[in-house]
């Protein structure tokens, strides 16, 4: 698979995923060196030749988030100044994706700001997975390819017993994606009516559209952050007569009290991908992690060769 003018570099947010991508591509991970000065300024040096090369930089959105964003911007800038022919920013989980609209007065649309910053820093393209809303692709003045991990999750789910199972969208916004799961797995669909009040990250499931009584429910969502959405929906589904509840979620943000909530919840299984690293000490028994490295590697190869990326979904 290796191509002589293809290089992949990694920021410090998820080196394991970047290495896995390189393993799939059959190339070594590009070498770069970060110096952190006492005043917290960063210096990044690309430690190999990238002149006229097709370069991909992997940096996901994970803590420490702001530092990761700054590191990515500096990496892109360093690659541009090192005469790379084309630089693609690979952001498996896009930062600030939930800040995609002006739904309150006097707030920033930070996802759009992120898109502008990537362009300013020197990215020629962006490659990402399951944006919070697909319209974010329109924030970019450069080509932005959005992959979906839904087939990765479905492939694993299809290995299990899916009798009496219903796909449940964790909220109305997730209905479209739930439809993709339902189509691939030939299952019926239900939707949770979720409400949030302000910024307190407390999501409350209030009603269900669809039949869940006596069913095994498979909640689907693009991300699990504090877990408010998934765990409140799980409780509600059980109170409505579901026999069990599991969840399949692309991005395991798992912030705030998510792990404590998982420990206290009746969720049977949480299937996620590795778009965001889960620290070793936090890997709970009920969490199963699937790799998106083969998917990203295939997309990189297709972009590099000028082949269709949409053929992947
Ligand atoms: C919201 O619209 C998203 O699809 C997720 O439901 C949300 O980001 C999950 O956040 P949390 O786990 O904090 O409820």
């Amino acid at each position: 698979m290796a191509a002589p003018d293809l290089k992949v570099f990694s920021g410090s947010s998820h080196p394991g995923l970047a290495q896995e991508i390189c393993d799939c591509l059959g190339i070594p991970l590009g070498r770069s060196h970060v110096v952190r000065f006492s005043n917290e300024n960063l210096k990044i040096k690309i430690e190999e030749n990238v002149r006229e090369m097709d370069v991909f930089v992997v940096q996901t959105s994970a803590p420490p988030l702001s530092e990761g964003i700054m590191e990515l911007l500096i990496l892109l800038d360093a690659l541009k100044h090192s005469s790379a022919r084309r630089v693609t920013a690979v952001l498996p989980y896009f930062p600030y994706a939930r800040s995609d609209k002006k739904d309150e007065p006097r707030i920033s649309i930070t996802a759009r700001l992120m898109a502008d910053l990537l362009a300013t820093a020197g990215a020629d393209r962006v490659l990402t997975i399951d944006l919070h809303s697909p319209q974010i692709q329109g924030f970019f003045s450069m080509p932005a390819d959005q992959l979906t991990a839904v087939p990765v999750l479905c492939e694993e789910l299809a290995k299990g017993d899916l009798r009496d199972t219903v796909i449940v969208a964790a909220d109305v916004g997730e209905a479209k994606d739930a439809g993709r799961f339902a189509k691939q797995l030939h299952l019926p669909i239900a939707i949770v009516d979720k409400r949030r009040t302000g910024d307190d990250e407390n999501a409350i499931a209030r009603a269900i559209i669809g039949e869940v009584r006596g069913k095994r429910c498979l909640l689907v969502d693009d991300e699990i952050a504090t877990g408010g959405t998934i765990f409140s929906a799980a409780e509600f589904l059980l109170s409505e007569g579901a026999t069990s509840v599991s969840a399949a979620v692309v991005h395991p943000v798992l912030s705030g009290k998510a792990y404590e909530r998982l420990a206290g919840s009746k969720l049977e299984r949480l299937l996620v991908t590795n778009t965001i690293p889960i620290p070793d000490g936090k890997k709970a028994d009920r969490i199963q992690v699937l790799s998106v490295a083969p998917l990203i590697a295939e997309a990189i190869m297709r972009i590099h060769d000028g082949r269709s990326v949409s053929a992947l979904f």
Side-chain angles (χ1 to χ4, degrees):
M1 227 176 178
D5 59 340
L6 172 64
K7 298 236 174 194
V8 175
F9 287 83
S10 178
S12 53
S13 66
H14 204 346
L17 177 62
Q19 183 59 60
E20 240 190 283
I21 293 168
C22 286
D23 293 346
C24 294
L25 291 167
I27 59 174
L29 185 61
R31 285 178 290 114
S32 60
H33 181 65
V34 182
V35 179
R36 183 168 287 98
F37 295 105
S38 57
N39 62 0
E40 294 195 4
N41 284 195
L42 299 177
K43 179 179 88 175
I44 300 184
K45 183 170 181 189
I46 308 299
E47 294 202 307
E48 55 191 271
N49 178 34
V50 290
R51 193 172 287 275
E52 291 304 317
M53 301 222 173
D54 191 13
V55 179
F56 292 77
V57 186
V58 182
Q59 180 80 312
T60 201
S61 174
L65 178 58
S66 300
E67 174 136 349
I69 292 168
M70 204 58 218
E71 188 191 46
L72 172 61
L73 298 175
I74 296 173
L75 254 170
L76 292 169
D77 190 59
L79 287 161
K80 263 300 183 233
H81 287 295
S82 309
S83 301
R85 172 169 46 83
R86 181 174 68 174
V87 183
T88 301
V90 182
L91 298 115
Y93 174 55
F94 194 79
Y96 286 97
R98 282 163 74 178
S99 176
D100 60 353
K101 57 193 159 305
K102 201 162 175 218
D103 53 3
E104 282 175 53
R106 301 177 296 283
I107 60 166
S108 163
I109 304 174
T110 316
R112 164 70 203 238
L113 175 63
M114 287 298 119
D116 288 348
L117 288 171
L118 291 172
T120 301
D124 297 297
R125 312 181 57 94
V126 164
L127 177 62
T128 186
I129 300 183
D130 289 294
L131 287 164
H132 177 59
S133 55
Q135 298 90 310
I136 294 174
Q137 280 177 101
F139 290 179
F140 296 92
S141 51
M142 64 189 113
D145 291 305
Q146 181 195 199
L147 304 173
T148 175
V150 170
V152 177
L153 294 165
C154 282
E155 195 184 323
E156 180 62 27
L157 291 165
K159 292 178 188 161
D161 179 3
L162 293 175
R163 274 174 301 172
D164 293 326
T165 301
V166 56
I167 300 291
V168 184
D171 56 34
V172 176
E174 192 56 24
K176 222 172 182 172
D177 273 341
R180 292 193 185 105
F181 279 90
K183 191 171 169 202
Q184 288 191 36
L185 297 171
H186 310 289
L187 292 172
I189 187 173
I191 300 170
V192 174
D193 174 20
K194 171 183 97 175
R195 302 289 161 95
R196 264 189 212 282
T197 45
D199 287 335
D200 60 5
E201 299 190 318
N202 277 327
I204 311 283
R206 302 205 336 176
I208 306 282
I209 305 159
E211 190 49 61
V212 298
R213 186 164 296 280
K215 303 278 186 194
R216 295 193 289 179
C217 290
L218 180 61
L219 276 163
V220 296
D221 208 347
D222 59 329
E223 64 174 62
I224 174 166
T226 62
T229 301
I230 291 291
F231 300 128
S232 150
E235 266 176 46
F236 193 67
L237 289 166
L238 290 168
S239 74
E240 291 290 302
T243 53
S244 69
V245 184
S246 295
V249 177
V250 176
H251 305 298
V253 181
L254 296 168
S255 54
K257 294 198 172 126
Y259 289 100
E260 284 149 77
R261 280 176 163 158
L262 174 64
S265 96
K266 295 201 176 89
L267 198 73
E268 255 184 14
R269 176 196 192 196
L270 175 59
L271 191 60
V272 296
T273 77
N274 63 347
T275 55
I276 302 167
I278 298 182
D280 276 340
K282 301 217 160 177
K283 281 184 185 133
D285 286 349
R286 277 180 285 167
I287 304 180
Q288 185 183 349
V289 185
L290 304 175
S291 182
V292 288
L295 174 71
I296 296 176
E298 179 63 28
I300 287 177
M301 215 53 230
R302 283 170 179 267
I303 291 168
H304 181 69
D305 294 343
R307 287 182 289 133
S308 165
V309 171
S310 64
L312 286 179
F313 33 90

